[in-house]
Amino acid sequence: AIIKYRKAISYVKLIKDYSFKANLLKELANSYQLSNNVDSALYCYNESLRYDYSLNNKFDVEKNIAQILFYKGERDSAYRLINDNLDKLEGYAAKYSYYQILGEMYHSDNSYDSAIKYLNLSMCATNKHTILASSNILTTIYDSIGNMELKFFYDSISLSILNSNHNKSIHTAKLQNVYSEYANRK
């Protein structure tokens, strides 16, 4: 992905579409972050902001920057960045992912009450990945404090999402088999 994004960026220079370049830089930074190359990720995130400082891009990028800062040990800067943006997120669709990230950070710092507060807020998301991540962390928290009833509750949410994804992949595989048989007969 990194190679393809870098190549795409070289083509964007030819057409001078700066918002598209900002998006490609953000995706390149995501790839660097996933491969644990955080310095390159930070550089690309900052470059993305340089080309597109719109609120949506700013919110997406700064959430990821906060995660990197947190795991680099710059916890105060990470919390400040997330909390500064939380006040501006009204009407922003991905605000629940901000809650999930903040809850995850508090969990890492063993601030369970704050973690529970923000993770519960993130459970209202429409994005299954946000809900799954939050319910997994809540399961861990309630297990560590010995509240088995809530642990099993959040376990059931996680299992429901995972089961739904599994059933969907089985259905997709069946459809692909039907199409393959059709194509072979044709």
Side-chain angles (χ1 to χ4, degrees):
I2 290 170
I3 294 168
K4 297 293 185 184
Y5 282 127
R6 292 176 86 184
K7 189 172 185 177
I9 289 169
S10 67
Y11 289 119
V12 170
K13 289 178 185 175
L14 298 173
I15 60 173
K16 297 180 183 175
D17 184 343
Y18 297 116
S19 64
F20 187 54
K21 183 173 184 175
N23 192 50
L24 285 173
L25 284 163
K26 179 173 53 175
E27 296 300 331
L28 177 60
N30 289 341
S31 298
Y32 279 131
Q33 187 175 1
L34 287 171
S35 66
N36 208 24
N37 190 343
V38 293
D39 292 330
S40 295
L42 279 174
Y43 174 78
C44 290
Y45 284 134
N46 286 315
E47 284 294 295
S48 176
L49 287 174
R50 193 166 69 93
Y51 284 99
D52 180 6
Y53 206 73
S54 68
L55 281 181
N56 284 345
N57 192 50
K58 178 182 178 301
F59 290 150
D60 283 347
V61 168
E62 288 184 351
K63 177 180 61 176
N64 294 330
I65 289 173
Q67 285 180 299
I68 291 172
L69 293 175
F70 184 83
Y71 290 105
K72 285 183 79 171
E74 299 176 36
R75 287 167 149 61
D76 292 339
S77 298
Y79 280 118
R80 187 173 32 262
L81 192 56
I82 292 287
N83 283 317
D84 286 350
N85 283 343
L86 270 178
D87 296 335
K88 304 168 191 162
L89 291 174
E90 201 55 47
Y92 178 62
K95 73 179 177 182
Y96 299 105
S97 65
Y98 259 79
Y99 294 143
Q100 187 266 319
I101 297 298
L102 193 54
E104 185 178 328
M105 289 166 46
Y106 279 123
H107 172 252
S108 293
D109 283 340
N110 296 323
S111 299
Y112 292 154
D113 290 338
S114 297
I116 290 169
K117 172 188 171 185
Y118 287 105
L119 292 168
N120 276 323
L121 287 171
S122 73
M123 294 296 290
C124 297
T126 56
N127 183 311
K128 288 190 298 188
H129 301 291
T130 301
I131 296 169
L132 180 61
S134 296
S135 63
N136 285 336
I137 298 169
L138 285 165
T139 295
T140 303
I141 291 172
Y142 285 118
D143 186 33
S144 67
I145 61 176
N147 187 334
M148 293 300 124
E149 183 179 339
L150 286 173
K151 176 204 180 302
F152 293 136
F153 172 74
Y154 288 106
D155 261 345
S156 70
I157 292 172
S158 296
L159 288 172
S160 173
I161 292 170
L162 292 171
N163 190 33
S164 170
N165 289 346
H166 178 70
N167 289 340
K168 193 178 293 184
S169 66
I170 289 173
H171 182 69
T172 301
K174 286 180 182 178
L175 286 174
Q176 287 174 334
N177 284 339
V178 167
Y179 178 76
S180 293
E181 289 175 14
Y182 166 76
N184 287 338
R185 278 191 250 132
K186 186 176 174 183

